[in-house]
Amino acid sequence: MSEIRSIGILGGGQLGRMLSVAASRLGLRCHIYEPGAAPAGDVAHALTTAPYDDEAALRAFAESVDVITYEFENVPTSALDLLESIRPIRPNRRALAVSQDRLTEKTFLNEIGLATAPFADVPSERDLATAVERIGAPSILKTRRMGYDGKGQVRITDPGQLEWTGAPSVLEGFVDFSAEISVIIARAADGQVAGFDPGLNVHEGGILRTTTVPCGLPGKVTTDAVLIAARIANALDYVGVMGVELFVTPAGLIVNEIAPRVHNSGHWTQAGCAVDQFEQHIRAVAGLPLGDGKRHADVVMENLIGDDMNRVPELLASPRTQIHLYGKGEARPGRKMGHVNRITS
Ligand code: AMP
């Protein structure tokens, strides 16, 4: 068994919560660090509520655990520097640096031979016209940092429409995709890799609505998708679970973005696999052998967003339906409150 007994998790949202539950099943304790409300705190051994610039709190947190992981990629660099001087951070800083910045991410992906949407660096508003000339329209202007669920994005439908995001950005050519899929992959410190089956993702208003497995695409496409994810994980010397979002096009697969963490589109693994993405991440981070990623059921995962919470009584009565609620207070529009995994075969 590994020497690791306790895991620090940066971020106290639903992903941290489900990681903490998975860790507890393996006899490990989690300590959550979260500046705001922390649904993960309800199911963890310890919770620190403090901002990311509170050095004393960061230090005490790091000293209380054996290894540190995170449930979101936008942890401030200064906090990471301090934490890493005390305990190892897994996945590593390179994975974070690459995924925190869309320009660095796309450049890295192209360098390792993977296709992305055509893109141009747009450091400031005055560079936008030249970028649109190069990339054309339709295209999407995205802030380099801090964007998620379609936030910080402007669709440019006409070359004359030079709307600015307000921050350094990349301009991406619009990809005419037939489907969006994602692969969740786990990699251990010794290089062992276990991929889950690609899921078919449907978004609404920029937010993931459903993930369906099997994704219904030919075997060659799904194998390529898993190989792409493995190539990224190997290139980053990655330890943990990673989500890779891909566009399916007639010309092949195009990588949209990578998330250096467990991913919403991997929640189906809770009902579809013996070892789900959360346990797989904890195993990797704790230095334990990975489980296999084989799928034993067909699953449709649906997010419960805002008012969807009104459907919970009906969902509770549905057969072959697993319900996960995150224990969040108010069901505001657009807020992810839980998800369901429906076993469809
Ligand atoms: P992102 O925040 O980059 O994941 O983008 C959110 C969603 O916008 C994606 O899931 C796609 O549906 C869509 N999208 C993002 N980038 C592109 C692109 N270059 N071409 C077409 N659709 C895109």
Side-chain angles (χ1 to χ4, degrees):
M1 282 291 282
S2 100
E3 296 302 303
I4 287 169
R5 295 272 169 273
S6 63
I7 299 177
I9 302 178
L10 300 169
Q14 62 267 21
L15 301 179
R17 179 178 170 106
M18 291 184 275
L19 284 169
S20 188
V21 170
S24 70
R25 288 199 310 258
L26 292 169
L28 303 169
R29 287 178 161 176
C30 287
H31 185 160
I32 308 291
Y33 194 104
E34 164 64 60
D42 295 349
V43 297
H45 174 67
L47 167 67
T48 296
T49 307
Y52 283 112
D53 59 3
D54 183 335
E55 292 190 9
L58 287 168
R59 201 174 286 282
F61 165 77
E63 283 168 358
S64 76
V65 296
D66 298 318
V67 62
I68 297 168
T69 189
Y70 44 88
E71 59 137 35
F72 77 120
E73 54 273 38
N74 292 317
V75 182
T77 306
S78 55
L80 293 166
D81 287 342
L82 194 156
L83 294 167
E84 199 172 30
S85 71
I86 303 172
R87 291 290 182 271
I89 297 179
R90 295 176 188 153
N92 63 31
R93 295 292 297 279
R94 172 135 168 76
L96 268 172
V98 162
S99 56
Q100 274 178 347
D101 182 328
R102 290 185 194 274
L103 182 64
T104 316
E105 182 178 53
K106 286 194 163 37
T107 308
F108 158 75
L109 290 166
N110 289 173
E111 273 168 12
I112 64 166
L114 297 177
T116 60
F119 65 96
D121 182 14
V122 194
S124 70
E125 189 169 6
R126 62 174 183 278
D127 304 302
L128 184 55
T130 322
V132 174
E133 248 169 59
R134 219 183 97 203
I135 301 296
S139 48
I140 307 185
L141 188 65
K142 301 180 179 178
T143 55
R144 283 177 59 173
R145 292 175 169 273
M146 302 297 274
Y148 68 96
D149 285 350
K151 293 191 173 62
Q153 301 190 6
V154 176
R155 288 201 176 208
I156 297 186
T157 45
D158 174 297
Q161 176 213 336
L162 299 179
E163 201 181 320
W164 181 232
T165 54
S169 297
V170 285
L171 183 68
E172 280 186 34
F174 196 83
V175 178
D176 193 11
F177 56 80
S178 58
E180 289 188 78
I181 60 172
S182 56
V183 174
I184 310 298
I185 194 147
R187 187 173 180 279
D190 66 359
Q192 183 195 2
V193 167
F196 292 107
D197 281 1
L200 176 72
N201 297 328
V202 174
H203 295 87
E204 263 174 36
I207 304 179
L208 184 67
R209 182 80 228 167
T210 59
T211 300
T212 302
V213 284
C215 66
L217 293 166
K220 180 181 172 340
V221 178
T222 57
T223 304
D224 279 354
V226 177
L227 290 174
I228 285 172
R231 190 190 300 188
I232 297 169
N234 283 333
L236 292 170
D237 195 18
Y238 196 86
V239 176
V241 161
M242 179 172 68
V244 180
E245 294 181 31
L246 302 134
F247 297 134
V248 181
T249 79
L253 291 167
I254 287 178
V255 182
N256 176 29
E257 62 181 7
I258 58 186
R261 52 172 168 79
V262 287
H263 195 254
N264 193 169
S265 68
H267 292 357
W268 67 266
T269 59
Q270 294 169 312
C273 304
V275 175
D276 68 26
Q277 64 163 349
F278 301 99
E279 179 173 336
Q280 210 64 312
H281 185 77
I282 295 294
R283 285 187 185 215
V285 166
L288 298 168
L290 300 179
D292 78 290
K294 197 168 166 9
R295 185 172 57 78
H296 59 63
D298 297 356
V299 183
V300 179
M301 187 288 305
E302 184 189 0
N303 273 331
L304 299 177
I305 300 167
D307 281 353
D308 288 336
M309 284 300 278
N310 298 335
R311 292 167 43 212
V312 167
E314 161 212 334
L315 292 166
L316 283 167
S318 309
R320 293 156 69 77
T321 299
Q322 195 182 58
I323 303 193
H324 297 258
L325 300 178
Y326 307 149
K328 294 183 180 177
E330 199 195 336
R332 291 192 294 271
R335 193 175 195 202
K336 290 176 183 167
M337 303 300 293
H339 67 273
V340 289
N341 287 320
R342 281 197 194 84
I343 297 172
T344 52
S345 86

